[in-house]
Amino acid sequence: IADPTLAEMGKNLKEAMKMLEDMSGGPSPENGIQNIGEQGHMALLGHSLGAYISTLDKEKLRKLTTRILSDTTLWLCRIFRYENGCAYFHEEEREGLAKICRLAIHSRYEDFVVDGFNVLYNKKPVIYLSAAARPGLGQYLCNQLGLPFPCLCRVPCNTMFGSQHQMVSFTSGLILKKNKIGRLTLSYFKTSYEATRTAAVGHTDKIGRLKELCEQYGIWLHVEGVNLATLALGYVSSSVLAATKCDSMTMTPGPWLGLPAVPAVTLYKHDDPALTLVAGLTSNKPADKLRALPLWLSLQYLGLDGIVERIKHACQLSQRLQENLKKVNYIKILVEDELSSPVVVFRFFQELPDSDPVFKAVPVPTMTPSAVGRERHSCDALNRWLGEQLKQLVPASGLTVMDLEAEGTCVRFSPLMTAAVLGTRGEDVDQLVACIESKLPVLSSTLQLREEFKQEVEATAGLLYVDDPNWPGIGVVRYEHANDDKSSLKSDPEGEKIHAGLLKKLNELESDLTFKIGPEYKSMKSCLYVGMASEDMDVAELVETIAATAREIEENSRLLENMTEVVRKGIQEAQVELQKANEERLLEEGVLRQIPVVGSVLNWFSPVQALQKGRTFNLTAGSLESTEPIYVYKAQGAGVTPPPTPSGSRTKQRLPGQKPFKRSLRGSDALSETSSVSHIEDLEKVECLSGGPEQITLEASSTEGHPGAPSPQHADQTEAFQKGVEGAESLR
């Protein structure tokens, strides 16, 4: 291909990207466009360039695509130390493993091409999957291969970190068991990094020992994971280096190097090109070979140094975070022996030696199974909250929240999958550590205040404590109103109205707590969820305020309902009385006055002096009264004094600037504020004492006939004044 064609394609691609960025306001996570950089432009250029290449002459196209495929395969095998390997490029990450399993079937069943699945009847194949495999992988393989689900066999991972030989013993036992019942072991799939258990935390099992076991029983061994990226570095751990001896491996260089729209690669070793063609790993179509073009351009642009630098930078970020987290209390790193692992998984872990078992993150043997499960869920909720907070505070870190089978909810930092795209730097790691340290006091205090909150709620009438282990706050509470059906699990409209008003009232207090309402954990009834709390939280005041406010809302609601009923009855009564008044007026005026013409003449000669009678409804007293006093005295009656608004919340004296639900500080700040307030009060006392005697003296002198001659009363006042001045000086 001529260089002008490449230059023209690159120019057109840059113009298209610039137009797209201008329309959306530039590359940013908010508008969904990432800053892909020059290497990303090269990868996108490969897709556009493939359309131009497909228009070439068939012979030239065949030579060019074969050269691109062979060069890319050779580069990848050299970079990742996989000697004499072949490459299969695919868009779906699981597609490579499906092709490998099909290749293993054709290799072990020689007549499979002719007889098909009839050869599988006598000796069914077995696919061993690591328990760390991604969810749904086994089902995907069976659907692609047309195999029943009993052909899958899941191998448990290590039960403890450090016992690296236990998985090998499990595998050996399972293979012997399957061979005894006439099953043919087909392939073994091992992942060094997936979404569950040890693999998810960057832990690598003894792949070398597994390879020896697979060679002993004739099993195909396939591996995949982000730890394989470290094969490009100068120093590689022995556990990861053993992956180069496996039969196949799947890699994702796109996320590792920050390349968009780059296919995944499956490297494998096989000597029979006919079987690889039947399995779909190789193809004679030029379009299939052109899948490697984006990666071919990107590898040439980055070069070996650029590739190694990106992977090395990601590993350095992981090690930097791991070293800093070792100095942080209450943070547990799941794997600390993998020095070259590009993955760091940690979780909040509070264990105090002198605390009760309920405050420990790891349950003790004296706890019941239900308590163990509840404490496990509580810690998982706190770690889930911590992960979400860190993701918002440090978006460049690329954190993810994950659930492990044994450890629970954890936070994962995998810069190899995100750093190239997000541009993660060392400063971002330091900011992440600082944010973790700032959140730890809130996590610790919330964990310790939960039991106090539960006891206060259970001791307060009208409140019901709701045990919701998935809520990260200090607890969940529900107000039980008078008409609450405790045995029903259906939604309660009256309770929802009370809790909605309670949420509005609590948010108006402008405290540091966060409140929300939602359905109960095990029913549809509305509850109040109280968020994270600091160590100076006054739980007793909080619970009392919740109970008093909810009670006040309920009483006001019932008062409004009663008033509505009284008004309705009053209107009906007024209508009846007004109708009677009209009938009485007709009797008093007579029938002749009701005739139109005659009535006007009579009213002109003899007008009727009738008072205007009406009815007024007193909302305060709830009674119906006559409007006659209003027209007679030209004033409306005072009525009855309305009852006071019910209120049960206690009024707590707070210092200036102190927010609700906070305990009074006993430190230096509180003392300084108190001392300043008392000093002002002392000055006011001094002014009162100094000003009072002067006024008394003037009044006394004005009443005396001789101001020069002091009276006994004047002498007493002068003495009191002097004592007051001396007291004021001492106060000053």
Side-chain angles (χ1 to χ4, degrees):
I1 301 176
D3 292 338
T5 305
L6 287 173
E8 183 180 358
M9 282 296 304
K11 180 180 178 181
N12 295 338
L13 180 62
K14 288 183 178 180
E15 292 179 356
M17 291 297 298
K18 187 177 183 302
M19 292 175 59
L20 184 60
E21 293 174 1
D22 293 341
M23 292 174 58
S24 58
S28 65
E30 288 76 11
N31 53 42
I33 298 181
Q34 299 173 348
N35 189 6
I36 58 178
E38 291 293 333
Q39 73 280 356
H41 284 210
M42 294 300 297
L44 297 177
L45 175 62
H47 290 275
S48 302
L49 189 58
Y52 278 85
I53 294 178
S54 61
T55 61
L56 296 177
D57 181 71
K58 290 185 178 180
E59 184 63 22
K60 294 181 179 179
L61 180 62
R62 183 185 63 81
K63 293 181 179 179
L64 180 61
T65 54
T66 303
R67 177 64 182 274
I68 292 174
L69 181 62
S70 60
D71 288 350
T72 309
T73 302
L74 180 62
W75 295 340
L76 290 175
C77 291
R78 288 182 177 178
I79 291 173
F80 297 102
R81 309 186 185 193
Y82 198 77
E83 299 178 357
N84 302 324
C86 303
Y88 172 66
F89 301 89
H90 47 92
E91 301 296 334
E92 171 64 39
E93 294 184 15
R94 301 175 296 180
E95 184 181 352
L97 180 57
K99 302 290 185 181
I100 290 297
C101 291
R102 186 173 285 113
L103 175 62
I105 291 176
H106 286 282
S107 300
R108 299 302 302 272
Y109 297 93
E110 297 179 356
D111 299 332
F112 183 76
V113 178
V114 179
D115 299 334
F117 287 96
N118 291 327
V119 299
L120 305 179
Y121 181 77
N122 294 329
K123 206 166 188 179
K124 298 176 182 177
V126 180
I127 301 177
Y128 292 93
L129 280 178
S130 168
R134 71 189 72 179
L137 179 60
Q139 183 179 1
Y140 172 82
L141 293 177
C142 290
N143 294 336
Q144 294 294 320
L145 302 175
L147 297 177
F149 289 155
C151 293
L152 296 176
C153 181
R154 297 184 67 86
V155 181
C157 290
N158 299 334
T159 57
M160 294 180 60
F161 292 115
S163 59
Q164 299 176 347
H165 299 282
Q166 188 160 357
M167 188 174 185
V168 178
S169 61
F170 269 121
T171 306
S172 179
L174 290 173
I175 293 174
L176 293 175
K177 181 179 179 180
K178 296 294 182 181
N179 290 342
K180 287 182 180 180
I181 60 177
R183 304 289 291 274
L184 178 62
T185 301
L186 178 64
S187 63
Y188 183 90
F189 170 68
K190 175 70 187 78
T191 173
S192 60
Y193 172 82
E194 275 299 333
T196 56
R197 200 64 177 102
T198 59
V201 300
H203 188 83
T204 307
D205 290 305
K206 285 288 184 178
I207 299 180
R209 182 68 184 92
L210 289 175
K211 177 58 180 175
E212 296 176 359
L213 188 64
C214 292
E215 290 179 351
Q216 179 182 354
Y217 292 98
I219 305 175
W220 187 290
L221 180 60
H222 178 87
V223 297
E224 69 176 24
V226 295
N227 279 354
L228 299 178
T230 59
L231 292 171
L233 302 179
Y235 171 76
V236 185
S237 62
S238 58
S239 57
V240 179
L241 188 61
T244 59
K245 305 299 181 182
C246 296
D247 299 298
S248 59
M249 65 171 65
T250 297
M251 301 181 297
T252 54
W256 297 352
L257 305 176
L259 304 175
V262 169
V265 183
T266 296
L267 301 179
Y268 63 95
K269 297 178 182 179
H270 202 271
D271 299 332
D272 193 344
L275 291 181
T276 57
L277 181 62
V278 172
L281 290 171
T282 57
S283 175
N284 295 325
K285 297 180 181 180
D288 295 337
K289 297 180 180 180
L290 283 176
R291 292 178 183 173
L293 182 57
L295 189 57
W296 181 78
L297 289 175
S298 300
L299 294 179
Q300 283 199 359
Y301 178 83
L302 291 174
L304 179 60
D305 295 338
I307 296 172
V308 173
E309 182 62 28
R310 287 175 179 265
I311 298 176
K312 185 178 179 181
H313 174 66
C315 294
Q316 289 176 349
L317 292 177
S318 298
Q319 297 306 313
R320 185 170 184 170
L321 178 61
Q322 181 172 334
E323 292 298 327
N324 291 334
L325 290 182
K326 289 180 180 179
K327 306 174 185 177
V328 180
N329 296 328
Y330 307 136
I331 291 295
K332 176 185 177 183
I333 304 175
L334 268 63
V335 177
E336 299 183 2
D337 58 342
E338 298 287 340
L339 298 179
S340 60
S341 175
V343 182
V344 179
V345 178
F346 59 93
R347 70 191 307 262
F348 170 69
F349 176 85
Q350 182 176 8
E351 182 178 4
L352 301 176
D354 298 331
S355 63
D356 295 333
V358 72
F359 293 151
K360 294 185 179 181
V362 177
V364 295
T366 57
M367 298 178 67
T368 61
S370 59
V372 172
R374 183 168 57 254
E375 187 65 21
R376 162 73 180 271
H377 285 296
S378 300
C379 292
D380 290 347
L382 293 177
N383 282 280
R384 194 176 298 110
W385 177 86
L386 175 62
E388 296 298 332
Q389 290 290 318
L390 295 178
K391 287 166 60 177
Q392 296 178 4
L393 295 174
V394 193
S397 61
L399 295 177
T400 56
V401 180
M402 57 184 302
D403 293 323
L404 300 182
E405 181 180 357
E407 288 76 16
T409 303
C410 303
V411 183
R412 179 176 61 186
F413 177 68
S414 180
L416 191 58
M417 301 295 291
T418 59
V421 176
L422 300 177
T424 310
R425 303 174 301 172
E427 292 78 4
D428 298 323
V429 175
D430 298 338
Q431 182 184 359
L432 178 61
V433 176
C435 292
I436 293 174
E437 293 177 344
S438 65
K439 297 298 179 182
L440 286 180
V442 179
L443 289 170
S444 301
S445 58
T446 300
L447 190 61
Q448 296 178 5
L449 289 175
R450 280 184 171 181
E451 186 64 23
E452 182 181 354
F453 180 79
K454 179 180 179 181
Q455 295 176 0
E456 290 288 343
V457 171
E458 292 177 348
T460 305
L463 295 183
L464 176 65
Y465 180 79
V466 179
D467 189 6
D468 190 349
N470 296 325
W471 175 246
I474 62 175
V476 185
V477 63
R478 178 160 63 89
Y479 177 72
E480 294 181 321
H481 54 88
N483 299 328
D484 190 4
D485 187 2
K486 301 179 181 179
S487 60
S488 176
L489 300 179
K490 298 181 180 179
S491 59
D492 183 15
E494 184 177 354
E496 292 178 0
K497 186 185 299 184
I498 294 176
H499 285 90
L502 177 61
L503 176 65
K504 182 179 179 181
K505 291 285 186 181
L506 293 176
N507 289 333
E508 291 176 354
L509 297 178
E510 298 182 355
S511 63
D512 292 337
L513 287 173
T514 57
F515 302 95
K516 62 174 291 187
I517 59 173
E520 190 179 338
Y521 178 61
K522 296 181 180 180
S523 70
M524 297 301 295
K525 293 187 177 181
S526 181
C527 296
L528 178 69
Y529 291 80
V530 186
M532 310 291 287
S534 56
E535 60 181 357
D536 58 346
M537 179 61 57
D538 192 343
V539 178
E541 181 190 359
L542 171 64
V543 175
E544 184 177 350
T545 303
I546 293 175
T549 306
R551 195 178 301 112
E552 178 182 348
I553 294 174
E554 181 184 11
E555 293 176 357
N556 291 337
S557 176
R558 295 192 179 281
L559 180 62
L560 182 60
E561 293 177 358
N562 297 335
M563 184 179 296
T564 303
E565 183 65 20
V566 171
V567 170
R568 185 181 64 81
K569 293 181 179 180
I571 292 175
Q572 294 177 356
E573 184 180 352
Q575 291 176 350
V576 173
E577 292 189 3
L578 289 176
Q579 185 176 359
K580 292 181 179 179
N582 289 331
E583 295 175 355
E584 294 176 357
R585 184 177 59 83
L586 290 176
L587 294 176
E588 292 178 359
E589 294 179 357
V591 180
L592 293 177
R593 293 184 182 272
Q594 309 305 322
I595 300 174
V597 178
V598 177
S600 300
V601 174
L602 291 176
N603 290 333
W604 184 74
F605 283 104
S606 177
V608 178
Q609 301 294 331
L611 295 176
Q612 297 180 0
K613 296 182 179 181
R615 294 295 183 269
T616 177
F617 185 75
N618 193 335
L619 292 177
T620 303
S623 61
L624 195 66
E625 301 174 356
S626 176
T627 58
E628 185 175 352
I630 298 177
Y631 294 103
V632 173
Y633 301 106
K634 306 298 183 180
Q636 192 169 358
V640 182
T641 304
T645 303
S647 178
S649 60
R650 64 176 180 181
T651 58
K652 179 181 178 180
Q653 298 295 332
R654 298 189 182 92
L655 296 176
Q658 183 181 359
K659 293 188 176 182
F661 316 131
K662 294 289 186 180
R663 292 192 180 98
S664 299
L665 300 178
R666 299 181 179 179
S668 59
D669 296 337
L671 291 176
S672 61
E673 293 180 359
T674 306
S675 61
S676 61
V677 173
S678 61
H679 182 64
I680 295 174
E681 295 177 353
D682 294 340
L683 291 178
E684 294 177 353
K685 292 180 180 179
V686 169
E687 293 176 357
C688 294
L689 290 174
S690 60
E694 293 178 357
Q695 297 176 358
I696 296 173
T697 305
L698 291 175
E699 293 175 358
S701 60
S702 62
T703 55
E704 292 291 329
H706 302 280
S711 63
Q713 182 180 2
H714 184 272
D716 296 338
Q717 293 174 352
T718 305
E719 183 179 0
F721 170 73
Q722 294 177 356
K723 292 182 178 179
V725 173
E726 293 175 359
E729 292 297 329
S730 62
L731 288 176
R732 289 183 182 278

